[in-house]
Amino acid sequence: MKAYIFPGQGAQFTGMGLDLYQNSPLAQELFEQANDILGFSITDIMFEGSVEDLKQTKVTQPAIFLHSVILAKTLGDDFKPEMVAGHSLGEFSALVANGVLTFEDGLKLVSKRALAMQKACEAQESTMAAVLGLDDAVVEEVCANIDGVVVAANYNCPGQLVISGEIAAIDKACAALTEKGARRALKLPVGGAFHSPLMAPAREELAEAIKNTTFSEPTCPVYQNVVAKAVTNPDEIKENLIAQLTAPVRWTQCVQAMISDGGTEFVEVGPGKVLQGLMRKIDRNVTASGAGN
């Protein structure tokens, strides 16, 4: 079965989406529509902005979403997903790709999510750190024994887990994890503790917007980050999407569930090749490529 996977924050690059805009009238139309919906010219920042410009949360999340969704739409009849999944923010792209959300509603929710997360980051200084070379259970145990807020946030692939929380707690956890034999426990250049309890204010804000948005029946199952299994019920999809902001991204488990359910060919739709790299570390027996490659 063919699975389409959609990247999250961190996949952005300067000039992203310009080739789509120049080569597809449909892409051009959707990008212009996005500028109108957002109330600012995101295309100027995507096509000509600096790395710093693209790092603004209010820009990063919609930019990656637009690149992914518009690329999927330009594939036309070739785009026939039998299963979809997205890494964190990428779950919104996946839900547009399988017909649960419209382009406009998806973009509005992503913009709302980005602004709510930015606000939560500004309310309390916090961060994330990548931990390499330890079993998940060891990382979880260390986090559970640290004073303060620090939790497992992104299960990216075996031996690569991102933790999230208060700065002091992250520092203590990194020291303890290094002692436990981590190959690396390194703070990431991010603005806050995504997928941790510190995102609760953002979750509340986004919950209202999600509840007031129409979610349709999907054309194929979405493997959601929170539950790491196939979901097709629109009400369940909503609940999982709300929970996602404070819950871990179980990406390894999502991919394993897709493979177990018959996924053999994985196509990454969006900027960069991060997910293709993770696929090779999760299971070398399946093929992973980029859309349009």
Side-chain angles (χ1 to χ4, degrees), residues 202-224:
R203 187 188 63 198
E204 298 314 311
E205 217 172 303
L206 189 63
E208 197 164 334
I210 286 175
K211 282 171 183 164
N212 293 325
T213 301
T214 301
F215 278 48
S216 304
E217 291 286 335
T219 55
C220 70
V222 57
Y223 287 71
Q224 288 189 279

CSV table of all heavy atoms in Angstrom, one decimal, residues 202-224:
chain,number,residue,atom,x,y,z
A,202,ALA,N,-2.1,26.8,24.9
A,202,ALA,CA,-2.3,26.8,23.4
A,202,ALA,C,-3.4,25.7,23.0
A,202,ALA,O,-4.2,26.0,22.1
A,202,ALA,CB,-1.0,26.5,22.7
A,203,ARG,N,-3.3,24.6,23.7
A,203,ARG,CA,-4.3,23.6,23.5
A,203,ARG,C,-5.7,24.1,23.7
A,203,ARG,O,-6.6,23.8,22.9
A,203,ARG,CB,-4.0,22.3,24.3
A,203,ARG,CG,-4.9,21.1,24.0
A,203,ARG,CD,-4.8,20.0,25.0
A,203,ARG,NE,-5.2,20.4,26.3
A,203,ARG,CZ,-4.9,19.8,27.4
A,203,ARG,NH1,-4.2,18.8,27.4
A,203,ARG,NH2,-5.4,20.3,28.6
A,204,GLU,N,-5.9,24.8,24.8
A,204,GLU,CA,-7.3,25.3,25.1
A,204,GLU,C,-7.8,26.2,23.9
A,204,GLU,O,-8.9,26.2,23.5
A,204,GLU,CB,-7.3,26.1,26.4
A,204,GLU,CG,-7.0,25.2,27.6
A,204,GLU,CD,-7.7,23.9,27.6
A,204,GLU,OE1,-8.9,23.9,27.5
A,204,GLU,OE2,-7.0,22.8,27.8
A,205,GLU,N,-6.8,27.1,23.5
A,205,GLU,CA,-7.2,28.1,22.4
A,205,GLU,C,-7.5,27.3,21.1
A,205,GLU,O,-8.5,27.7,20.4
A,205,GLU,CB,-6.0,29.0,22.2
A,205,GLU,CG,-6.4,30.4,22.0
A,205,GLU,CD,-5.2,31.3,22.0
A,205,GLU,OE1,-4.4,31.4,23.0
A,205,GLU,OE2,-5.0,32.0,20.9
A,206,LEU,N,-6.7,26.4,20.8
A,206,LEU,CA,-6.9,25.6,19.5
A,206,LEU,C,-8.1,24.7,19.6
A,206,LEU,O,-8.8,24.6,18.6
A,206,LEU,CB,-5.6,24.8,19.2
A,206,LEU,CG,-5.6,24.1,17.8
A,206,LEU,CD1,-5.6,25.2,16.7
A,206,LEU,CD2,-4.4,23.2,17.7
A,207,ALA,N,-8.4,24.2,20.8
A,207,ALA,CA,-9.6,23.3,20.9
A,207,ALA,C,-10.8,24.0,20.5
A,207,ALA,O,-11.7,23.3,19.7
A,207,ALA,CB,-9.7,22.9,22.4
A,208,GLU,N,-11.0,25.2,20.8
A,208,GLU,CA,-12.2,25.9,20.4
A,208,GLU,C,-12.3,26.0,18.9
A,208,GLU,O,-13.4,25.8,18.3
A,208,GLU,CB,-12.3,27.3,21.1
A,208,GLU,CG,-13.6,27.9,21.0
A,208,GLU,CD,-13.7,29.1,22.0
A,208,GLU,OE1,-13.0,29.2,23.0
A,208,GLU,OE2,-14.6,30.0,21.7
A,209,ALA,N,-11.2,26.4,18.3
A,209,ALA,CA,-11.2,26.6,16.8
A,209,ALA,C,-11.5,25.2,16.1
A,209,ALA,O,-12.2,25.1,15.2
A,209,ALA,CB,-9.9,27.1,16.4
A,210,ILE,N,-10.9,24.1,16.6
A,210,ILE,CA,-11.1,22.8,16.0
A,210,ILE,C,-12.5,22.4,16.2
A,210,ILE,O,-13.1,21.9,15.2
A,210,ILE,CB,-10.1,21.8,16.7
A,210,ILE,CG1,-8.7,22.0,16.1
A,210,ILE,CG2,-10.5,20.3,16.4
A,210,ILE,CD1,-7.6,21.2,16.8
A,211,LYS,N,-13.1,22.6,17.4
A,211,LYS,CA,-14.5,22.2,17.6
A,211,LYS,C,-15.5,22.9,16.7
A,211,LYS,O,-16.5,22.4,16.3
A,211,LYS,CB,-14.9,22.4,19.1
A,211,LYS,CG,-14.3,21.3,20.0
A,211,LYS,CD,-14.5,21.7,21.5
A,211,LYS,CE,-13.9,20.6,22.3
A,211,LYS,NZ,-13.7,21.1,23.7
A,212,ASN,N,-15.1,24.1,16.3
A,212,ASN,CA,-16.0,24.9,15.4
A,212,ASN,C,-15.7,24.8,13.9
A,212,ASN,O,-16.2,25.5,13.1
A,212,ASN,CB,-15.9,26.4,15.8
A,212,ASN,CG,-16.5,26.7,17.2
A,212,ASN,OD1,-17.4,26.1,17.6
A,212,ASN,ND2,-15.9,27.6,17.9
A,213,THR,N,-14.8,23.8,13.6
A,213,THR,CA,-14.5,23.5,12.2
A,213,THR,C,-15.1,22.2,11.8
A,213,THR,O,-15.1,21.3,12.5
A,213,THR,CB,-12.9,23.5,12.1
A,213,THR,OG1,-12.4,24.7,12.5
A,213,THR,CG2,-12.5,23.2,10.6
A,214,THR,N,-15.6,22.2,10.5
A,214,THR,CA,-16.2,21.0,10.0
A,214,THR,C,-15.1,20.0,9.6
A,214,THR,O,-14.1,20.3,8.8
A,214,THR,CB,-17.0,21.3,8.7
A,214,THR,OG1,-18.0,22.2,9.1
A,214,THR,CG2,-17.6,20.0,8.1
A,215,PHE,N,-15.2,18.8,10.1
A,215,PHE,CA,-14.3,17.7,9.8
A,215,PHE,C,-15.1,16.6,9.0
A,215,PHE,O,-16.1,16.1,9.5
A,215,PHE,CB,-13.7,17.0,11.0
A,215,PHE,CG,-12.5,17.7,11.6
A,215,PHE,CD1,-12.5,19.1,11.8
A,215,PHE,CD2,-11.3,17.0,11.9
A,215,PHE,CE1,-11.4,19.8,12.4
A,215,PHE,CE2,-10.2,17.7,12.5
A,215,PHE,CZ,-10.3,19.1,12.7
A,216,SER,N,-14.7,16.3,7.8
A,216,SER,CA,-15.4,15.4,6.9
A,216,SER,C,-14.9,14.0,7.1
A,216,SER,O,-13.8,13.7,7.7
A,216,SER,CB,-15.3,15.8,5.5
A,216,SER,OG,-15.8,17.2,5.3
A,217,GLU,N,-15.6,13.0,6.5
A,217,GLU,CA,-15.2,11.6,6.4
A,217,GLU,C,-13.9,11.6,5.6
A,217,GLU,O,-13.9,12.1,4.5
A,217,GLU,CB,-16.2,10.7,5.8
A,217,GLU,CG,-17.5,10.6,6.7
A,217,GLU,CD,-17.3,9.6,7.9
A,217,GLU,OE1,-16.4,8.8,7.8
A,217,GLU,OE2,-18.0,9.8,8.9
A,218,PRO,N,-12.8,10.9,6.1
A,218,PRO,CA,-11.6,10.8,5.3
A,218,PRO,C,-11.7,9.8,4.1
A,218,PRO,O,-12.5,8.9,4.2
A,218,PRO,CB,-10.6,10.3,6.3
A,218,PRO,CG,-11.4,9.6,7.3
A,218,PRO,CD,-12.7,10.2,7.4
A,219,THR,N,-10.9,10.1,3.1
A,219,THR,CA,-10.9,9.2,1.9
A,219,THR,C,-10.0,7.9,2.3
A,219,THR,O,-10.1,6.9,1.6
A,219,THR,CB,-10.3,9.9,0.7
A,219,THR,OG1,-9.0,10.4,1.0
A,219,THR,CG2,-11.2,11.0,0.2
A,220,CYS,N,-9.1,8.1,3.3
A,220,CYS,CA,-8.3,7.0,3.7
A,220,CYS,C,-7.9,7.2,5.2
A,220,CYS,O,-8.0,8.3,5.7
A,220,CYS,CB,-7.0,6.8,2.9
A,220,CYS,SG,-5.8,8.1,3.1
A,221,PRO,N,-7.5,6.2,5.9
A,221,PRO,CA,-7.1,6.4,7.3
A,221,PRO,C,-6.0,7.3,7.5
A,221,PRO,O,-5.0,7.4,6.7
A,221,PRO,CB,-6.7,5.0,7.8
A,221,PRO,CG,-7.3,4.0,6.8
A,221,PRO,CD,-7.3,4.8,5.5
A,222,VAL,N,-6.1,8.1,8.7
A,222,VAL,CA,-4.9,8.9,9.1
A,222,VAL,C,-4.4,8.2,10.4
A,222,VAL,O,-5.1,7.8,11.2
A,222,VAL,CB,-5.3,10.4,9.4
A,222,VAL,CG1,-6.5,10.5,10.4
A,222,VAL,CG2,-4.1,11.2,9.8
A,223,TYR,N,-3.0,8.1,10.4
A,223,TYR,CA,-2.4,7.5,11.5
A,223,TYR,C,-1.9,8.7,12.4
A,223,TYR,O,-1.0,9.4,12.1
A,223,TYR,CB,-1.2,6.6,11.1
A,223,TYR,CG,-1.7,5.3,10.5
A,223,TYR,CD1,-2.3,5.3,9.2
A,223,TYR,CD2,-1.6,4.1,11.2
A,223,TYR,CE1,-2.8,4.1,8.7
A,223,TYR,CE2,-2.0,2.9,10.6
A,223,TYR,CZ,-2.7,3.0,9.4
A,223,TYR,OH,-3.1,1.8,8.8
A,224,GLN,N,-2.7,8.9,13.5
A,224,GLN,CA,-2.4,10.1,14.3
A,224,GLN,C,-1.4,10.0,15.3
A,224,GLN,O,-1.2,8.9,16.0
A,224,GLN,CB,-3.8,10.6,14.9
A,224,GLN,CG,-4.7,11.1,13.9
A,224,GLN,CD,-6.0,11.8,14.5
A,224,GLN,OE1,-6.9,11.1,14.8
A,224,GLN,NE2,-5.9,13.1,14.6
